[in-house]
Amino acid sequence: MSERVRQKCSHSEEKYQTNISLETLDSGGLNSATVCGVDWTTLPDDTVIQLFSYLNYRDRASLASTCRTFRLLGSLPCLWGSLDLRSYKFDTAAAVSLSLRCKNLQRLKFPAAGSADAIVSLQARELREISGDFCRDITDAALSVIAARHEMLESIHLGPDPCERISSDAIKALAYCCPRLRRLWMSGVKEANGDAINALAKHCRQLMELGFVESDNIDEVALGNLSSLKFLSVAGTRNLKWGSVAQVWSRLPQLVGLDVSRTDVNLSAITRFLSLSRNLKVLIALNCPVFEGEVDRNTMHNNKGRILLTLFSGIVKGVASLFADNLESVTDVFQHWKEIRNGDKNLDEVVVWIEWAISHSLLRIAENNLKEFDDFWLTQGAAVLLSLLQSSQEEVQERAATAVATFVVIDDEDATVHCQRAEAILCGDGIRMLLNLARSCQEVLQSEAAKAIANLSIDSKVAKAVAESGGINILANLAKSTNRLVAEEAAGGLWNLSVGDEHKGAIAEAGGVKALVDLIFKWPPSSTDVLLERATGALANLGADEKCSVEVALAGGIHALVMLARTCKFEGVQEQAARALANLAAHGDSNSNNAAIGQEAGALEALVQLTYSQNEGISRQEAAGALWNLSFDDKNREAISAVGGVEALVALAQSSLDASQGLQERAAGALWGLSVSETNSTAIGRQGGIAPLIALASSDVEDVHETAAGALWNLAFYRDNALRIIQDDGVQPLVHLCSSSNSKMARFMAALALVYMFDGRIDSAVPVGPSPSSQGSSKSLNIDGVGRMALKHVEEFVSSFYEPQTFNAAAATLVPTALAQIAEAIRIPEAGHLRCSGAEIDRYVRMLRDPSSILKSCSAFALLQFTMPGGRHAMHHSCLLQKAGAARVLRATAAASTAPIQAKIFTKIVLRNLENHHEVSS
């Protein structure tokens, strides 16, 4: 027997989209008779409309379905002036369902892929603003159709994904069809030639903000013809000729803000912009390596009141200088601006544009995750992100939250965070800000805030702050969201918070366990299901806590986890489901989870099949761990064998010899668990399980060789297996463990295995036949000689616990306290988890009668360990000894003049233990 495995520790857009259909919008699950007899229709219309405005579309539709009054109020145009469909599957059918409500729609955010026809089907001829994400697939033709049907458009934003299929043709169509265009921002356009830009200059006379970011082919000279421009961004754009650019753009008469971040702009161009531009107020040049390499940072300063924002200048003070007299008092610059706004429209436009531009560049810098920016993030970058989190622009808040979630992570694969960056967010009150955003009714904002909270919570100090600030309740509620992406990020937060023991109870109290289990039933498995992996990972962590494991079972978690282990093909989900089942089964007799898992239809078969997984050992490792824990239940042990568990685990052990240490330990452990029964033990030996266990017993890794020693101890109890261990050269590895392992448990179990093998059952005259691993060859061994050598090392092991002075004193005085001191000194605490059968106890009792002093001493030492008070199975072993009539044999050994002093003292301690257990039981 052994301790159970208990592991406490532990991203395409379409999969996140929820359908919007006529059924979603026109039906719901409520009716007026279910709301506790309260007539909600008597509320004033203004109150109901305000209530509708706080709801997402699904909840709005559900409320509208309760009665005709609410249905009418829920369809009012004032509630449908703005739509954010980025989290939904937006197709033509959905658009037709929405069209009756969208005649006055002015602002639309949409997932761009495949949405052109859908936007047209909305029949929203009053559209003023559109913003599309995931724009890689939107084409010139699609954008041209959108422009032709919506001539009132004033603002178009496509990004941050590159618009790889948009070129000058679409830009010209926008210019011809949308003369009211005031703002155009595109990321990664294929090209914008002179004809297209000149068309904008000719037809869009009100165009004041233009962004061609992260693009390759932009006619920079033609941009000089856009005389109405106030704000221009070419951040991340390549192949610009800065000599001509500076000369042309500095003549733009209305230009107030210019963003050249992440380009190869040089010092000469920056100097020209600052000295020649007539109305330029703000020049942003974040992460411009050429410029930063040329400039003297100590002498570079603002020119004629113009502000230059760089990574090495004070961004906060630079922005604050636009509107604050006392710069030293300003720490949260954008929040300070919101508080002192004085109605200056021009200044408002500048600050809004600065927020937009900086948030985009900081997100890109965070995504690159370069070590050279460590100092920037700690000195000012984190503070700027915190300020942006409080922006009045939702898009800026989203990008700031995403940047926080991104810049704090060092290694996504290993879930490693930069502690100093995380604590900079913590010290700047960022947790409160993010939790406030997570309470927003905007689902995209919820998901980005939850993602940031989840990543930050990998740091234990931040996790504590999240819990103390009510973050666990917020995440548990978000996990119930009908929006898949929101629920996924919330589950990730609960997964990270559940790593340590500190917050498991709070997650259960907040309803987090049920929310996580419900997620598994709510969202069917997909090909790459991060949501289910996170929910299952959180349940795995929670299952390591005994109380939480009961909550998981009561919430239907066992059925949910078994369902995933059986049907989900995503490796991450399989791994976490197996780990969760292992942890749930790790609590032994303290609850009924172990038996319940075994009784769940298909559970054991699924885990056995996972041991054959092709996933580089991880899923196999977790499945083996689960089978190890489950094998401690008698019925489970035989059921595992009945579904092919022995064959599977022997094959796993054989294939694990060059695998990870974790897989080796769990494969050996599962075989150890199964080998408790004679039938399984015999089957393991016959199917070649002994040879890989001997190899694992030779490992230098303590956990591996200790577990393998335990399995070999069980197997050696049976004569045929003992012969196979000898034949497969298993004696020497066991002798080495008995003599040299740093683990007392490994030495102890190796000694017991050797004693089983050489206690006289094997006749030295009996030839040693072929074993499954010897490919038919037989060996002739001097068993007597090998046995004497092995028992000599067993004797040395037992003698290592012998301290002559103490033992002699105890033998002379027979004072109980002296025996108690010796017992505590030689106790192996982990041995208290070992459980022996009645046949094993009988065998140790017989060894006490054996003339061999080595067998006497070793058996007495073993019985001492098995009966020590506080041991998990001490009472069980005491009962077995009483049934075997061992007291008489123990007293005889203790009094025998020929017995070694170690055996005499050990048996006296065993007798004392039996008396103590008798007193307790009576």
Side-chain angles (χ1 to χ4, degrees):
M1 172 138 182
S2 168
E3 292 185 5
R4 291 159 170 78
V5 180
R6 185 175 302 172
Q7 301 172 45
K8 297 182 181 177
C9 299
S10 44
H11 296 96
S12 115
E13 75 273 11
E14 289 187 1
K15 67 172 184 165
Y16 300 128
Q17 296 171 350
T18 304
N19 286 319
I20 292 183
S21 64
L22 192 60
E23 181 181 0
T24 301
L25 292 164
D26 293 342
S27 65
L30 300 176
N31 60 72
S32 57
T34 65
V35 195
C36 305
V38 177
D39 187 0
W40 292 90
T41 61
T42 60
L43 288 172
D45 289 354
D46 289 347
T47 302
V48 176
I49 293 170
Q50 188 70 17
L51 179 60
F52 270 111
S53 70
Y54 290 124
L55 301 177
N56 61 43
Y57 309 119
R58 185 183 296 276
D59 293 341
R60 193 181 295 179
S62 182
L63 181 59
S65 72
T66 59
C67 63
R68 292 182 179 179
T69 301
F70 282 8
R71 182 183 177 91
L72 177 62
L73 293 174
S75 301
L76 290 175
C78 63
L79 292 171
W80 298 89
S82 176
L83 274 179
D84 186 350
L85 303 178
R86 290 175 292 171
S87 298
Y88 299 87
K89 184 178 181 180
F90 181 47
D91 54 18
T92 302
V96 171
S97 298
L98 290 165
S99 59
L100 294 177
R101 296 169 172 83
C102 294
K103 291 183 179 180
N104 296 307
L105 182 67
Q106 295 194 0
R107 293 178 296 278
L108 174 66
K109 297 178 182 178
F110 63 97
S115 295
D117 291 340
I119 294 174
V120 172
S121 298
L122 279 175
Q123 301 181 32
R125 302 303 295 264
E126 299 296 315
L127 262 181
R128 300 294 196 275
E129 301 177 18
I130 62 172
S131 177
D133 288 351
F134 309 114
C135 299
R136 293 181 183 275
D137 296 327
I138 197 166
T139 63
D140 282 344
L143 188 55
S144 299
V145 170
I146 294 172
R149 297 296 183 94
H150 303 93
E151 63 274 6
M152 305 289 285
L153 279 173
E154 297 177 1
S155 175
I156 298 173
H157 172 265
L158 300 176
D161 281 7
C163 306
E164 297 171 339
R165 303 175 67 183
I166 292 179
S167 68
S168 300
D169 292 340
I171 297 170
K172 283 190 285 187
L174 290 175
Y176 297 143
C177 298
C178 305
R180 299 189 181 194
L181 200 61
R182 297 174 58 83
R183 181 174 186 269
L184 177 61
W185 196 97
M186 293 181 170
S187 176
V189 295
K190 186 162 58 175
E191 65 163 349
N193 62 27
D195 289 345
I197 295 172
N198 288 331
L200 289 173
K202 180 179 179 180
H203 298 285
C204 302
R205 299 297 182 89
Q206 301 178 62
L207 186 64
M208 59 175 287
E209 182 179 341
L210 180 64
F212 287 131
V213 303
E214 293 156 5
S215 303
D216 286 318
N217 299 302
I218 306 298
D219 191 325
E220 63 269 23
V221 175
L223 289 174
N225 297 326
L226 295 167
S227 58
S228 62
L229 273 189
K230 283 189 172 183
F231 305 101
L232 174 61
S233 177
V234 291
T237 292
R238 299 161 289 275
N239 304 320
L240 294 173
K241 302 177 181 65
W242 291 106
S244 58
V245 164
Q247 184 175 357
V248 173
W249 294 357
S250 62
R251 291 200 296 264
L252 287 169
Q254 306 295 326
L255 191 64
V256 173
L258 175 61
D259 182 12
V260 296
S261 298
R262 298 174 289 113
T263 67
D264 57 357
V265 66
N266 54 39
L267 175 60
S268 173
I270 295 288
T271 304
R272 286 191 179 188
F273 286 133
L274 292 173
S275 61
L276 299 178
S277 297
R278 182 168 49 183
N279 292 311
L280 187 67
K281 287 186 176 181
V282 181
L283 176 56
I284 306 177
L286 303 177
N287 188 22
C288 299
V290 176
F291 164 65
E292 291 167 3
E294 295 174 345
V295 69
D296 183 347
R297 303 185 182 190
N298 297 319
T299 61
M300 196 70 190
H301 54 83
N302 295 334
N303 188 297
K304 299 179 181 180
R306 295 177 171 89
I307 298 166
L308 174 63
L309 301 179
T310 69
L311 294 181
F312 57 83
S313 66
I315 296 176
V316 170
K317 290 184 178 180
V319 177
S321 66
L322 289 169
F323 49 81
D325 296 328
N326 183 5
L327 300 183
E328 297 300 326
S329 65
V330 178
T331 55
D332 190 342
V333 57
F334 297 113
Q335 180 67 19
H336 181 72
W337 166 68
K338 287 199 297 185
E339 294 170 355
I340 66 166
R341 293 171 76 167
N342 55 13
D344 186 338
K345 181 181 177 182
N346 291 329
L347 182 57
D348 284 356
E349 289 176 347
V350 172
V351 178
V352 165
W353 177 78
I354 291 174
E355 285 186 331
W356 182 276
I358 290 179
S359 64
H360 186 269
S361 280
L362 291 186
L363 176 56
R364 285 293 189 244
I365 293 171
E367 289 170 343
N368 289 333
N369 197 20
L370 298 177
K371 185 171 178 59
E372 63 197 66
F373 292 105
D374 279 356
D375 185 62
F376 164 73
W377 288 121
L378 296 177
T379 56
Q380 61 171 330
V384 176
L385 288 177
L386 289 171
S387 189
L388 293 171
L389 285 174
Q390 302 179 86
S391 169
S392 57
Q393 303 179 78
E394 284 183 2
E395 295 90 342
V396 170
Q397 291 178 317
E398 289 170 17
R399 280 199 291 272
T402 306
V404 170
T406 305
F407 96 116
V408 76
V409 177
I410 298 174
D411 189 331
D412 190 45
E413 291 295 325
D414 294 333
T416 306
V417 299
H418 194 294
C419 294
Q420 290 178 297
R421 297 181 188 177
E423 290 169 20
I425 298 297
L426 174 62
C427 295
D429 202 22
I431 302 305
R432 178 190 60 81
M433 299 176 195
L434 289 166
L435 290 175
N436 286 339
L437 294 181
R439 294 187 183 99
S440 164
C441 59
Q442 299 299 323
E443 292 173 324
V444 176
L445 199 50
Q446 289 176 351
S447 67
E448 295 306 323
K451 180 192 297 181
I453 294 166
N455 289 354
L456 287 163
S457 296
I458 297 173
D459 181 89
S460 59
K461 294 180 181 178
V462 178
K464 181 180 179 181
V466 169
E468 292 175 347
S469 302
I472 289 176
N473 284 296
I474 292 173
L475 290 172
N477 285 330
L478 290 179
K480 303 171 187 176
S481 173
T482 54
N483 182 297
R484 188 181 184 110
L485 182 55
V486 174
E488 177 181 305
E489 300 301 347
L494 293 174
W495 188 5
N496 289 341
L497 284 165
S498 64
V499 168
D501 292 334
E502 301 89 344
H503 312 303
K504 288 184 170 68
I507 292 172
E509 291 174 8
V513 170
K514 187 176 188 309
L516 290 164
V517 172
D518 288 347
L519 278 179
I520 296 174
F521 292 118
K522 182 188 297 184
W523 301 104
S526 64
S527 58
T528 56
D529 211 316
V530 179
L531 183 149
L532 291 180
E533 179 182 13
R534 292 177 176 180
T536 310
L539 289 172
N541 287 347
L542 292 167
D545 177 84
E546 197 275 327
K547 291 182 179 179
C548 290
S549 73
V550 175
E551 294 282 340
V552 173
L554 290 175
I558 291 176
H559 177 66
L561 292 165
V562 170
M563 177 186 72
L564 290 179
R566 293 179 60 191
T567 63
C568 186
K569 302 305 179 185
F570 180 45
E571 291 176 352
V573 177
Q574 291 177 339
E575 174 187 341
Q576 297 305 326
R579 187 169 73 92
L581 291 170
N583 285 351
L584 289 172
H587 303 286
D589 301 328
S590 60
N591 62 46
S592 60
N593 286 348
N594 199 312
I597 294 171
Q599 293 166 8
E600 186 69 35
L604 301 180
E605 293 94 326
L607 290 169
V608 168
Q609 287 305 309
L610 282 179
T611 65
Y612 294 108
S613 169
Q614 299 303 309
N615 173 22
E616 296 302 316
I618 300 300
S619 294
R620 295 185 294 163
Q621 173 177 313
E622 303 301 348
L627 291 170
W628 183 2
N629 288 346
L630 289 165
S631 67
F632 290 96
D633 178 87
D634 293 341
K635 292 182 179 179
N636 286 347
R637 187 184 309 123
E638 304 313 316
I640 291 169
S641 177
V643 296
V646 171
E647 298 92 330
L649 290 167
V650 168
L652 184 63
Q654 291 169 339
S655 66
S656 74
L657 301 181
D658 296 320
S660 69
Q661 298 167 6
L663 178 58
Q664 292 176 345
E665 179 191 4
R666 287 161 180 77
L671 287 173
W672 183 2
L674 291 182
S675 66
V676 169
S677 76
E678 180 177 3
T679 302
N680 290 343
S681 185
T682 302
I684 291 169
R686 288 176 177 171
Q687 296 190 32
I690 288 176
L693 286 170
I694 292 171
L696 294 176
S698 303
S699 170
D700 293 330
V701 180
E702 189 173 297
D703 289 339
V704 175
H705 68 234
E706 180 182 299
T707 310
L712 290 170
W713 167 47
N714 275 357
L715 292 167
F717 184 78
Y718 302 101
R719 181 177 180 276
D720 287 348
N721 286 337
L723 286 168
R724 290 189 175 97
I725 294 172
I726 296 171
Q727 181 182 24
D728 283 344
D729 299 324
V731 175
Q732 190 57 47
L734 287 170
V735 165
H736 178 75
L737 286 185
C738 182
S739 305
S740 306
S741 176
N742 291 324
S743 164
K744 288 184 179 179
M745 270 289 283
R747 297 175 65 198
F748 179 48
M749 291 184 293
L752 296 183
L754 291 169
V755 165
Y756 280 167
M757 292 159 60
F758 299 109
D759 65 350
R761 290 177 308 152
I762 301 177
D763 191 332
S764 61
V766 176
V768 181
S771 72
S773 61
S774 63
Q775 298 180 349
S777 64
S778 61
K779 296 184 178 181
S780 176
L781 295 175
N782 182 355
I783 292 181
D784 281 345
V786 172
R788 284 193 297 271
M789 180 271 297
L791 291 178
K792 180 65 176 175
H793 285 85
V794 171
E795 181 180 30
E796 292 172 357
F797 165 71
V798 175
S799 297
S800 68
F801 293 87
Y802 169 56
E803 206 287 310
Q805 185 175 354
T806 306
F807 276 57
N808 289 328
T813 62
L814 298 179
V815 177
T817 55
L819 293 177
Q821 290 174 356
I822 292 175
E824 287 303 320
I826 67 175
R827 181 177 192 167
I828 303 174
E830 298 86 354
H833 295 282
L834 301 177
R835 181 185 175 98
C836 295
S837 65
E840 288 177 287
I841 293 297
D842 288 343
R843 189 159 175 181
Y844 290 118
V845 173
R846 287 199 301 272
M847 289 184 198
L848 289 174
R849 301 191 185 100
D850 197 280
S852 168
S853 62
I854 298 175
L855 295 179
K856 283 183 188 291
S857 297
C858 185
S859 61
F861 181 78
L863 292 173
L864 180 154
Q865 301 296 338
F866 297 149
T867 58
M868 284 295 291
R872 185 169 185 168
H873 304 289
M875 188 66 73
H876 164 74
H877 292 142
S878 296
C879 292
L880 292 178
L881 283 167
Q882 290 173 359
K883 289 179 180 179
R888 180 172 55 83
V889 180
L890 289 166
R891 284 192 289 269
T893 303
S897 59
T898 58
I901 189 171
Q902 299 101 306
K904 298 169 78 170
I905 296 296
F906 295 157
T907 52
K908 289 177 181 179
I909 295 174
V910 174
L911 286 166
R912 187 205 62 152
N913 292 342
L914 294 178
E915 292 172 2
N916 289 340
H917 294 313
H918 179 71
E919 292 174 2
V920 171
S921 62
S922 61

